[in-house]
Amino acid sequence: MGSLALRLVQPDEFVNHDLVVSFDGEAPLSKFSDNKWDLSPYVENKNCKRSDKEINFKLTLDDGRCLTDSTYSLLLRSVKGFLYARMTRPHPRTGKAVKPRTAVGIWFRLRPLLRWMINKGVCNFTSLTPVLAQEYRKHIEGLGMKPNTLLKRLSIIEMLFQYSAFFPMPVKGHPWPDESSVSISGDRKSTSTQTLEIPPQVYAKLGNIALKCVEEQSDDAVYAHEKCCDILRNFRDEAIYRLESGKTKPVGLDREFQIEYCSTRAKRPRLDDAAREAGFPTYGKLNEAIHEFHTACYIVCALFSGMRDSELSSLETGAFFTKTGLDGIPISWLKGTTYKLEDMPMPAEWMVPQCVGQAVTVLTRITKFHRECLSYQINNLKEGDVDHKNTRLNELKGWQNCLFLVKGNRGYTYRAMENSTINHRLRQFIKKHRITDVNGKLWPIATHQFRRTFAVFVAKNMMGDLRYLRHHFKHWSMDMTLHYARHKRGDDSLISDILSERDKLNRIIVSDWLSGNAPLAGGRGQAIINFKSRNKIKTAGSLKEAVGNLADGLFIRATGHSWCMSNGDNCGGQGLYDSLHCVSCNSAVIDKSLLPAWNGIKQQQQEILQLDDVGISVIHSAQKQIEAADSIIQVLSDEH
């Protein structure tokens, strides 16, 4: 499959209804004149709905007619011209044309405007004057939308103006000459909004509950589920006979759905019995548990890999494998497909801990029967001799070996789990287990949060913060980047994200050292205090600039009781195990964030002194540790 490569055309050429909009291989698939543009050959993501792959211009309007009605022929041609231009012409700000899937999103943002215009009797974009645009603005503002949603609704008019040279009857003037959709919406961070990071207390609870589901609670339910699948499988031939003979009324449009529905109804008592043997009151309750374990497997895979949702949806049976790493230790990987940064989907592999392998095993067992039914469906589906990329048959084949396979609604049996489906299931998981933030509110979970959370977690791990889920990350350190560096199919963009988060953490730490009068201990800490007290001209224009200059040249590591900035051998790493090495070390900074560690060191050594069976050398060492801890605590305490 290639990227969308369409011919650039001039506005007057859009009257040519034979203009090809999409291709299936070399054969034209959709033309400009068609009421539906099928863009599916250009959208490989398995977690996309069919509606995310096509633009259907049969938009139902409030007057009961459709946009494709002859009354609106000129407006429809303008809409098509605008969308075609967005896919072929660079944007004046970004310099890029949009991908087909993004064009579908633009179409969905355009539809509310079209309905509003026609309700106002406006049937072309030239009549959408700045005065009328302001009226639409007030209408949208009155709907109580979030700033980002408001931005998307308003920016579509600006976009129509920016592309006015490429379609007939265009917008003649900027909708709000002295403002922008960004300033109007108040969503000023829209161009650089940072994805929410799942807070440590949330992802620790989320991860531990998901791990418990996968590692401890899933066996009985999955075994019962497999027994129920055996019951349905054994009744398959009889179910087909009952449907074909008319003894059972067909339900839904899809044959495989009808067969399973018929089997489930006929064998419900036996299915309930199998569920009760595993401790579930009914077959329905067993299915609810299986859905929860399915979601738990997703959480484990996402939390411990850093994969995007589209990449997780690409996982197939056999995705988990292990091979020997640089140091002879077995390293586990997930193999899938990455879509985000490539015009062409590319195979990729992600380093994961062993617990992900258990999640993959559970997923494989849960979805085995789904894959069987999907195979039957594929074998019975005949769509001609040529299997084009846009056909239903090709779509089903793409899902045939999916790990995250789910049953759809009636008439649509099995498919890769859509993004909207997993987000719904994640919210259910959060609600059931009462996973809240520090304010006691349920965390607003979403799939896109996992990647950044993973990057932040690994960055903290690199810097010595091993407090959360440390058992599963026990082998992870800077070695992770080495494994990715030698791994040809490793996700380079993930390592970039991790290193970027590490740099941010560096800047935060250095900023805390340089700003205000925060006390610092350690040899380098005292040097920073002395530097700040000098009354000499500084070369940096601001604190932010100074922090950036300094932090970018440092690699800060954590010992648990100090921050180490050594670029050479120094103590040779002994400071990791003996805190005394760090008290006066010229490479050590000890700030208030480490005060609990020094209080803990003091308490631990005091407990040692209470023991009866320790020798003089142990007592001497404990006293030295207590003296050092007292000196650090005194420097860092508020009373100092």
Side-chain angles (χ1 to χ4, degrees):
M1 187 200 81
S3 58
L4 186 65
L6 300 179
R7 182 169 62 90
L8 294 179
V9 296
Q10 298 305 315
D12 57 357
E13 290 188 76
F14 287 120
V15 298
N16 177 8
H17 282 200
D18 290 330
L19 185 69
V20 177
V21 174
S22 64
F23 293 85
D24 185 359
E26 296 182 358
L29 176 59
S30 295
K31 294 183 179 180
F32 190 88
S33 58
D34 293 340
N35 288 332
K36 180 187 291 184
W37 289 355
D38 187 345
L39 305 175
S40 59
Y42 309 104
V43 184
E44 288 273 351
N45 303 42
K46 294 182 180 179
N47 62 339
C48 291
K49 296 180 289 188
R50 185 72 188 181
S51 59
D52 291 335
K53 303 177 184 180
E54 59 190 25
I55 298 176
N56 189 346
F57 293 105
K58 290 185 178 179
L59 174 67
T60 302
L61 304 169
D62 292 345
D63 62 5
R65 287 183 285 189
C66 290
L67 184 62
T68 52
D69 189 279
S70 59
T71 306
Y72 307 116
S73 59
L74 181 59
L75 178 61
L76 176 59
R77 186 143 40 95
S78 296
V79 168
K80 289 181 175 181
F82 165 66
L83 292 172
Y84 186 92
R86 279 304 279 120
M87 290 191 287
T88 57
R89 298 277 179 170
H91 189 277
R93 179 174 57 80
T94 65
K96 296 180 180 180
V98 300
K99 294 182 179 181
R101 188 181 174 190
T102 304
V104 176
I106 292 173
W107 160 244
F108 279 104
R109 289 159 60 183
L110 181 60
R111 297 193 314 178
L113 174 64
L114 295 174
R115 286 195 173 101
W116 182 86
M117 286 173 56
I118 290 172
N119 285 342
K120 291 288 182 180
V122 177
C123 296
N124 63 75
F125 289 126
T126 299
S127 299
L128 189 60
T129 62
V131 172
L132 204 60
Q134 289 288 356
E135 190 175 338
Y136 181 67
R137 165 188 170 178
K138 291 179 181 177
H139 165 70
I140 293 298
E141 288 176 331
L143 299 178
M145 297 175 172
K146 293 180 179 179
N148 186 254
T149 306
L150 181 62
L151 171 65
K152 290 177 179 178
R153 291 288 184 90
L154 295 179
S155 63
I156 197 70
I157 305 182
E158 288 182 10
M159 203 182 298
L160 285 164
F161 172 68
Q162 291 163 340
Y163 280 81
S164 58
F166 303 110
F167 58 88
M169 297 295 287
V171 176
K172 292 295 187 181
H174 195 288
W176 19 79
D178 300 322
E179 296 180 276
S180 70
S181 53
V182 174
S183 63
I184 293 171
S185 67
D187 191 25
R188 297 182 180 276
K189 296 182 180 179
S190 60
T191 56
S192 60
T193 300
Q194 184 78 62
T195 300
L196 276 177
E197 171 197 347
I198 304 174
Q201 71 275 12
V202 173
Y203 73 67
K205 186 175 182 181
L206 178 66
N208 281 316
I209 291 173
L211 285 166
K212 189 174 182 180
C213 286
V214 171
E215 297 175 338
E216 302 176 19
Q217 300 175 348
S218 63
D219 276 352
D220 290 343
V222 173
Y223 179 69
H225 170 73
E226 289 172 332
K227 288 183 66 176
C228 289
C229 291
D230 285 339
I231 293 170
L232 297 176
R233 190 182 292 112
N234 293 334
F235 189 69
R236 176 181 173 81
D237 290 341
E238 186 175 341
I240 293 173
Y241 166 74
R242 293 179 66 85
L243 285 165
E244 291 180 348
S245 64
K247 292 184 177 181
T248 298
K249 184 179 179 181
V251 177
L253 302 176
D254 199 288
R255 186 171 185 267
E256 289 307 312
F257 184 94
Q258 293 174 7
I259 293 168
E260 185 177 348
Y261 185 83
C262 172
S263 301
T264 303
R265 287 188 61 186
K267 297 300 177 183
R268 192 62 183 239
R270 288 187 59 191
L271 295 172
D272 286 339
D273 288 342
R276 277 192 287 270
E277 288 177 12
F280 297 92
T282 63
Y283 175 66
K285 291 297 181 182
L286 171 61
N287 271 336
E288 289 178 13
I290 292 298
H291 287 165
E292 181 180 2
F293 295 138
H294 193 279
T295 306
C297 289
Y298 181 96
I299 293 168
V300 170
C301 291
L303 200 59
F304 290 98
S305 71
M307 296 172 71
R308 302 179 180 92
D309 181 58
S310 59
E311 294 159 349
L312 286 165
S313 72
S314 76
L315 295 179
E316 298 186 345
T317 52
F320 179 82
F321 67 99
T322 300
K323 60 185 177 182
T324 303
L326 290 169
D327 50 7
I329 296 176
I331 302 296
S332 299
W333 299 86
L334 276 182
K335 58 182 177 182
T337 304
T338 185
Y339 307 89
K340 181 70 174 180
L341 302 177
E342 303 284 347
D343 289 335
M344 291 282 289
M346 299 289 290
E349 293 170 0
W350 291 264
M351 183 178 168
V352 294
Q354 186 61 36
C355 60
V356 174
Q358 293 174 272
V360 169
T361 298
V362 172
L363 273 174
T364 304
R365 293 175 64 188
I366 286 176
T367 55
K368 180 182 178 181
F369 184 68
H370 291 357
R371 283 189 297 277
E372 287 180 10
C373 292
L374 187 55
S375 294
Y376 283 124
Q377 187 178 9
I378 290 170
N379 292 335
N380 287 314
L381 191 60
K382 305 297 182 182
E383 294 197 33
D385 297 328
V386 181
D387 181 15
H388 292 294
K389 285 186 175 296
N390 69 308
T391 61
R392 173 114 167 98
L393 179 59
N394 183 74
E395 189 174 45
L396 295 179
K397 284 182 176 180
W399 299 328
Q400 191 168 7
N401 298 310
C402 277
L403 274 179
F404 288 102
L405 198 65
V406 294
K407 185 193 296 186
N409 296 324
R410 292 185 180 184
Y412 207 78
T413 56
Y414 300 100
R415 57 160 300 127
M417 186 160 56
E418 297 167 355
N419 182 259
S420 57
T421 301
I422 185 56
N423 275 320
H424 174 70
R425 291 191 178 187
L426 287 170
R427 289 191 293 269
Q428 287 183 317
F429 194 92
I430 289 281
K431 184 177 181 180
K432 176 178 178 179
H433 296 285
R434 296 297 304 170
I435 301 175
T436 60
D437 59 18
V438 291
N439 299 315
K441 294 183 178 179
L442 294 176
W443 179 252
I445 192 76
T447 56
H448 62 268
Q449 296 170 8
F450 284 104
R451 184 176 176 90
R452 177 160 188 260
T453 300
F454 176 87
V456 172
F457 183 88
V458 176
K460 288 180 178 179
N461 185 28
M462 288 179 178
M463 300 177 71
D465 187 347
L466 300 173
R467 291 172 293 173
Y468 300 101
L469 304 175
R470 57 185 176 271
H471 171 73
H472 294 282
F473 278 102
K474 59 187 176 184
H475 297 305
W476 288 39
S477 64
M478 277 300 290
D479 288 343
M480 177 186 178
T481 59
L482 297 178
H483 289 301
Y484 268 100
R486 74 188 290 261
H487 200 68
K488 293 181 180 179
R489 289 188 174 181
D491 185 354
D492 293 338
S493 67
L494 179 58
I495 291 298
S496 296
D497 289 348
I498 291 168
L499 295 180
S500 175
E501 293 298 337
R502 186 207 63 189
D503 292 343
K504 291 177 187 177
L505 291 172
N506 268 8
R507 289 188 178 92
I508 291 170
I509 292 168
V510 173
S511 178
D512 289 343
W513 294 347
L514 295 183
S515 60
N517 297 311
L520 299 173
R524 184 66 67 88
Q526 187 57 52
I528 293 172
I529 294 291
N530 295 339
F531 171 79
K532 288 166 62 177
S533 65
R534 288 162 41 187
N535 293 319
K536 292 186 178 182
I537 297 174
K538 309 297 189 298
T539 56
S542 66
L543 175 62
K544 183 177 180 180
E545 184 181 348
V547 167
N549 292 341
L550 182 58
D552 289 346
L554 295 175
F555 180 67
I556 303 173
R557 294 169 295 277
T559 66
H561 49 262
S562 69
W563 298 106
C564 178
M565 296 185 291
S566 172
N567 291 320
D569 292 335
N570 283 11
C571 70
Q574 292 184 57
L576 285 168
Y577 315 105
D578 187 350
S579 57
L580 286 175
H581 283 277
C582 301
V583 175
S584 57
C585 176
N586 290 331
S587 297
V589 179
I590 305 173
D591 58 26
K592 291 191 70 171
S593 70
L594 300 168
L595 188 56
W598 286 95
N599 282 321
I601 289 171
K602 178 179 179 180
Q603 181 180 350
Q604 183 186 56
Q605 299 305 315
Q606 286 174 333
E607 291 172 358
I608 289 175
L609 290 178
Q610 300 300 316
L611 301 175
D612 317 358
D613 55 350
V614 294
I616 295 176
S617 61
V618 173
I619 293 173
H620 179 67
S621 175
Q623 288 172 337
K624 288 180 65 177
Q625 295 272 9
I626 291 171
E627 289 174 7
D630 279 336
S631 68
I632 297 297
I633 292 168
Q634 185 180 10
V635 170
L636 299 182
S637 63
D638 292 332
E639 290 77 24
H640 177 68

